[in-house]
Amino acid sequence: MGNSLKAILAFVPSNKCQKYLLEDLEEMPVDKMVDLSGRQMRRLPVHICSFRELVKLYLSDNNLNHLPPELEQLQNLQILALDFNNFKALPLVVCTLKQLCILYLGNNKLCSLPLELRLLQNLKTLWIESNCLQYLPEVVCELSLLKTLHAGSNALRSLPRQLQGLQELRTIWLSGNLLSEFPPVLLDMPFLEVIDVDRNSIRHFPSLAHLPGLKLVIYDHNPCRNAPKVARGVRRVGRWSEETPEPRKRSGAVIDITLDEKPLLPPAAKAEPD
């Protein structure tokens, strides 16, 4: 089916047209994964919610702004991708999916997150980049198993002190925000491995040498006058990073970063749960 026809049918709310967009997806695939990305959908066909053993559901790059209450039937769901849609608020039905490990919410129009998000106590990866967040919702600090948080390209000016309670957090991406200083709470999180504060407004960096778990810090494109001090073996990406005692590999202007555990890829290459 051509993209132009899909775009036309996406405006037709009838079940028949919406089902046609699914290209005859009648039964749950053997791999328990359904990928409906880029289908121009404006609503999720309810019969998808009958696939009760579904583990992965990708709804990226559609025109969704709500989800049916029947989604609650997918209690085995571990990965849910809602990025690149039109959500102004996270549908509360998502917070009933208590087995979720990975949740992609990037590139929507979210200004906040509901308190019910705290119910997702198995969540390990949360992507909320490229939204309209002016502050990091404190409910994120209640996700005790969270390992990766991507909150880049919002309008964050600070981080809540409660964030230090996330002792499983290893990677935090904050690039493209409005941070005018390095978030003090990160200095009290010795378990962090990757810190990305690229493209902010930070003028001075404190020493990060006391963070024993740190492997990589990205601080480029800030109006800073110093590079953050780091312990031996920590990679730095940014101005004056060549001062690091560790050898660096260069290919033109590209710095090759080698870590025992590489940073997560963008949502285009979806991650798998641990």
Side-chain angles (χ1 to χ4, degrees):
M1 186 195 311
N3 288 332
S4 59
L5 180 55
K6 282 185 179 181
I8 294 173
L9 290 178
F11 283 92
V12 182
S14 72
N15 288 332
K16 184 176 182 180
C17 289
Q18 294 296 311
K19 193 172 181 180
Y20 188 48
L21 291 173
L22 301 183
E23 298 178 358
D24 299 322
L25 179 62
E26 296 289 347
E27 299 180 357
M28 184 180 69
V30 176
D31 59 5
K32 300 181 180 181
M33 178 186 78
V34 170
D35 188 350
L36 301 177
S37 301
R39 301 292 183 95
Q40 308 286 340
M41 290 189 306
R42 293 181 175 272
R43 64 176 181 170
L44 179 65
V46 174
H47 87 275
I48 293 296
C49 302
S50 66
F51 300 165
R52 299 196 177 197
E53 299 302 315
L54 201 64
V55 174
K56 308 169 190 176
L57 178 58
Y58 298 97
L59 302 174
S60 306
D61 193 20
N62 281 292
N63 295 303
L64 300 172
N65 57 29
H66 69 281
L67 294 172
E70 290 84 355
L71 191 73
E72 185 177 4
Q73 299 174 25
L74 303 183
Q75 286 300 312
N76 290 302
L77 206 62
Q78 296 181 27
I79 300 177
L80 177 60
L82 300 174
D83 46 329
F84 293 93
N85 276 285
N86 294 317
F87 292 104
K88 293 182 179 180
L90 179 65
L92 292 183
V93 67
V94 173
C95 302
T96 68
L97 306 175
K98 296 183 180 180
Q99 297 304 313
L100 278 184
C101 297
I102 300 175
L103 179 58
Y104 295 102
L105 299 175
N107 290 273
N108 279 286
K109 301 173 183 178
L110 301 174
C111 294
S112 63
L113 293 173
L115 293 177
E116 289 82 355
L117 190 73
R118 63 165 65 106
L119 299 175
L120 302 182
Q121 285 299 308
N122 285 307
L123 205 62
K124 295 182 180 179
T125 298
L126 177 62
W127 291 65
I128 51 176
E129 81 286 0
S130 299
N131 275 287
C132 305
L133 298 170
Q134 296 184 16
Y135 62 93
L136 184 68
E138 291 184 5
V139 67
V140 172
C141 304
E142 300 185 43
L143 303 173
S144 60
L145 296 184
L146 200 64
K147 295 181 64 177
T148 299
L149 174 62
H150 190 339
S153 299
N154 280 286
L156 305 181
R157 297 180 182 274
S158 62
L159 296 179
R161 292 297 305 178
Q162 296 92 321
L163 194 68
Q164 68 183 20
L166 295 182
Q167 298 190 13
E168 297 298 321
L169 194 64
R170 297 295 180 266
T171 302
I172 185 165
W173 306 92
L174 299 167
S175 62
N177 276 289
L178 301 176
L179 300 172
S180 59
E181 66 172 348
F182 186 84
V185 66
L186 300 184
L187 300 175
D188 297 324
M189 302 177 70
F191 34 81
L192 284 175
E193 297 179 0
V194 178
I195 299 174
D196 179 9
V197 289
D198 184 31
R199 294 185 293 113
N200 277 278
S201 300
I202 302 173
R203 294 186 174 276
H204 177 77
F205 280 94
S207 173
L208 306 179
H210 66 289
L211 299 179
L214 196 60
K215 297 179 180 179
L216 168 67
V217 56
I218 304 173
Y219 66 96
D220 211 4
H221 305 100
N222 279 280
C224 56
R225 298 184 178 181
N226 72 306
K229 293 183 179 180
V230 295
R232 182 176 293 274
V234 178
R235 299 287 191 259
R236 295 184 299 183
V237 177
R239 192 178 180 188
W240 305 297
S241 61
E242 64 272 10
E243 295 175 5
T244 179
E246 289 298 303
R248 307 182 67 79
K249 297 180 181 179
R250 292 182 181 272
S251 176
V254 178
I255 301 174
D256 296 326
I257 302 166
T258 303
L259 296 175
D260 294 334
E261 183 176 341
K262 293 184 181 294
L264 281 176
L265 296 174
K270 301 298 187 185
E272 299 290 332
D274 293 341

